[in-house]
Amino acid sequence: MTQTPGPTAARRGRPRSAAVDRAVIDTVLRLLTEGTSFADLSMENVARQAGVGKATVYRRWPGKDALLLDVLAAVEAPPAEPAGHSLREDLIASIEAIRHRTLAKQENALLRNMLLHLHSSPELWQRYYETAIVPRRRTLARLLERGVAEGELRPEIAEDLELAMDMVAGPVLYRATIRPDLLQDDTLAERIVDWFLQGARPQDGKTPGPRYA
Amino acid sequence: MTQTPGPTAARRGRPRSAAVDRAVIDTVLRLLTEGTSFADLSMENVARQAGVGKATVYRRWPGKDALLLDVLAAVEAPPAEPAGHSLREDLIASIEAIRHRTLAKQENALLRNMLLHLHSSPELWQRYYETAIVPRRRTLARLLERGVAEGELRPEIAEDLELAMDMVAGPVLYRATIRPDLLQDDTLAERIVDWFLQGARPQDGKTPGPRYA
DNA sequence: ACGATACGAGACGGCACCGTATCGTTAATC
DNA sequence: GATTAACGATACGGTGCCGTCTCGTATCGT
């Protein structure tokens, strides 16, 4: 997998079984979903649970980090791309997608483990970030840019798109990580987006603006 | 510590050294700050680093979890309570406090470790949540309630105070956990609060409201 | 058929940590 | 000064994982 010996050259002998790769990766995902942390994952136990020889695992991956790298690559990128109706509806769909994704045990387990290793394993984090976060974020960015272009959002929003994205996605992601119990609310995405838009639309006439007491 | 044998009864023999408690807890905090995760912390190494006998540690705490419980209790509750000037300024100070706290390595390490064990160690999470999160949250809640009472914020905000708090604190906490690189901006708290207030103030006249395309 | 390679199973030595016990020493109370 | 308990140090047996290696078997190219 990570180190296929011959490229596409006529390889001799018995070929590697693709079923083994799947079995190992599926087992890791299952264990993570069941609450095992990265640290508690052992090559030994993974091999045992997958019904696979330990040497077979080491033949494919030199160690746990390399295996985890492939596990992250295996969680498929989301199709997403709401790109449909009104800005409001698309934003709601986008936030709702985040909410649902982080409610799923597997995604949640991956996220929490990756957050712990954000600093200690930059390579792992990089892979996770680009697989799981960047696509969603790009979708959201395009939505906001379109909103600005069509005059539905204040022009200043385009100047710091990162902040705008965090203003609308931050609340749900905060709950996803710190208060998962408050994530059940089905109307959450809608209420967040409406609130966000209230401060994001062009001001008609008298702008309230920062008022000092 | 967790299990002082005699209450205040005239204890015989050599008394336990308070310096040992501090040395052990300080060592744990140091190791965590240096990047060691909860899982990688071993009683053996903690004792060694603290210059303390292993049995001495076990005399105070039955295991790692009990020790960590006391470590969490040792991070002092913040005085905070801005309670000063305008609503806007108090909100900014409150958000800015969150930003600074999560920029500190020790707080950051604790937060990340706790997030991973949110589900697996509810007792630990409980302690951390009440020590580190609840006080800040209560301050923020009082601020918003006061804002509503004085007519600076829309009355509906009082109906779901949790959501309001997450709307204003979510963005910075999102960055604290997932995008620490975007947390350096000194004007961040101010911009978030102003944006938040723009959607949180009472609407004068024509309310934009949800607009469908 | 035959050589090459992957397979599951598991033995191997080594290592870090677990939690307990045993030293001689130290600092309290009686 | 005798008793009592905590101290640092260190040894103890036990456990789980590491990464390598060797079996006998299965599956491919030639």
Side-chain angles (χ1 to χ4, degrees):
Chain A
M1 197 132 185
T2 24
Q3 43 178 14
T4 322
T8 323
R11 310 248 347 283
R12 314 221 333 162
R14 177 176 176 175
R16 292 196 183 166
S17 160
V20 167
D21 295 65
R22 273 184 281 108
V24 171
I25 289 181
D26 287 353
T27 299
V28 171
L29 284 173
R30 181 176 59 81
L31 290 175
L32 288 174
T33 303
E34 287 170 358
T36 311
S37 69
F38 280 7
D40 290 335
L41 274 180
S42 70
M43 297 292 267
E44 188 130 2
N45 192 33
V46 167
R48 201 182 316 135
Q49 300 274 334
V52 147
K54 207 174 12 160
T56 302
V57 178
Y58 277 104
R59 195 175 292 120
R60 289 166 162 72
W61 301 280
K64 192 162 66 176
D65 280 10
L67 170 54
L68 286 176
L69 221 51
D70 276 359
V71 169
L72 292 186
V75 298
E76 81 286 35
E81 206 69 23
H85 324 285
S86 68
L87 172 64
R88 176 176 178 272
E89 282 175 30
D90 285 354
L91 279 177
I92 290 176
S94 195
I95 301 302
E96 183 69 2
I98 295 177
R99 191 177 76 93
H100 267 108
R101 224 164 57 88
T102 51
L103 273 174
K105 282 199 175 181
Q106 177 178 302
E107 299 288 345
N108 202 278
L110 277 180
L111 175 59
R112 287 176 194 285
N113 274 284
M114 289 316 307
L115 286 183
L116 179 58
H117 295 91
L118 191 151
H119 292 114
S120 51
S121 307
E123 197 181 353
L124 266 185
W125 170 255
Q126 177 87 358
R127 180 79 126 241
Y128 176 78
Y129 186 75
E130 290 183 355
T131 301
I133 299 188
V134 164
R136 306 266 173 189
R137 229 171 148 73
R138 192 158 33 215
T139 301
L140 188 54
R142 271 200 287 262
L143 244 68
L144 294 176
E145 280 172 340
R146 215 185 58 199
V148 170
E150 296 180 0
E152 282 204 84
L153 300 179
R154 287 186 285 113
E156 308 93 272
I157 285 182
E159 291 169 18
D160 193 346
L161 218 50
E162 293 280 349
L163 180 60
M165 291 190 278
D166 294 350
M167 288 296 294
V168 66
V172 70
L173 278 164
Y174 165 73
R175 293 194 173 190
T177 51
I178 303 188
R179 292 297 302 270
D181 54 309
L182 293 181
L183 207 62
Q184 301 295 341
D185 183 356
D186 280 339
T187 71
L188 186 61
E190 190 175 355
R191 292 193 292 154
I192 289 177
V193 167
D194 280 339
W195 193 324
F196 166 80
L197 286 178
Q198 216 150 8
R201 287 214 169 86
Q203 299 298 325
D204 20 44
K206 45 172 137 183
T207 308
R211 170 170 48 170
Y212 296 80
Chain B
M1 197 134 185
T2 25
Q3 43 178 14
T4 322
T8 326
R11 311 249 346 284
R12 315 217 337 160
R14 178 177 176 174
R16 293 195 183 167
S17 160
V20 167
D21 295 64
R22 273 184 282 108
V24 171
I25 289 180
D26 286 354
T27 299
V28 171
L29 284 173
R30 181 177 59 81
L31 290 175
L32 287 174
T33 303
E34 288 171 358
T36 310
S37 69
F38 281 8
D40 290 335
L41 273 180
S42 71
M43 297 292 268
E44 189 130 3
N45 192 33
V46 167
R48 201 181 315 135
Q49 300 275 331
V52 149
K54 204 174 14 160
T56 302
V57 178
Y58 277 104
R59 195 174 292 119
R60 284 151 216 264
W61 299 280
K64 191 163 66 174
D65 280 10
L67 171 54
L68 286 176
L69 220 53
D70 276 359
V71 169
L72 291 186
V75 297
E76 82 284 37
E81 206 69 25
H85 322 285
S86 68
L87 171 63
R88 176 177 178 274
E89 282 175 32
D90 284 355
L91 280 178
I92 290 176
S94 197
I95 300 302
E96 184 69 2
I98 296 177
R99 190 177 77 93
H100 266 109
R101 225 165 55 86
T102 51
L103 273 175
K105 282 200 173 179
Q106 177 178 301
E107 299 288 344
N108 203 278
L110 277 179
L111 175 59
R112 289 177 192 283
N113 275 285
M114 290 315 307
L115 287 183
L116 180 58
H117 294 91
L118 191 151
H119 292 114
S120 52
S121 307
E123 197 181 354
L124 265 185
W125 170 254
Q126 177 86 359
R127 182 76 127 241
Y128 177 77
Y129 186 75
E130 291 183 355
T131 300
I133 300 188
V134 164
R136 305 267 174 185
R137 226 169 151 73
R138 192 157 33 214
T139 300
L140 189 54
R142 270 200 287 263
L143 244 69
L144 294 177
E145 279 173 340
R146 215 185 56 199
V148 171
E150 297 181 0
E152 283 203 84
L153 300 180
R154 287 187 285 114
E156 307 94 271
I157 285 182
E159 291 169 18
D160 193 346
L161 219 49
E162 293 278 350
L163 181 59
M165 289 190 279
D166 295 350
M167 288 296 295
V168 65
V172 70
L173 279 163
Y174 165 74
R175 295 195 171 189
T177 51
I178 303 188
R179 293 296 303 269
D181 53 309
L182 293 181
L183 206 62
Q184 300 296 340
D185 184 357
D186 281 340
T187 70
L188 185 62
E190 190 175 354
R191 292 193 293 153
I192 289 177
V193 167
D194 280 339
W195 193 325
F196 166 80
L197 285 177
Q198 216 150 10
R201 287 216 169 86
Q203 299 298 325
D204 19 44
K206 44 173 139 181
T207 309
R211 169 170 48 169
Y212 296 79

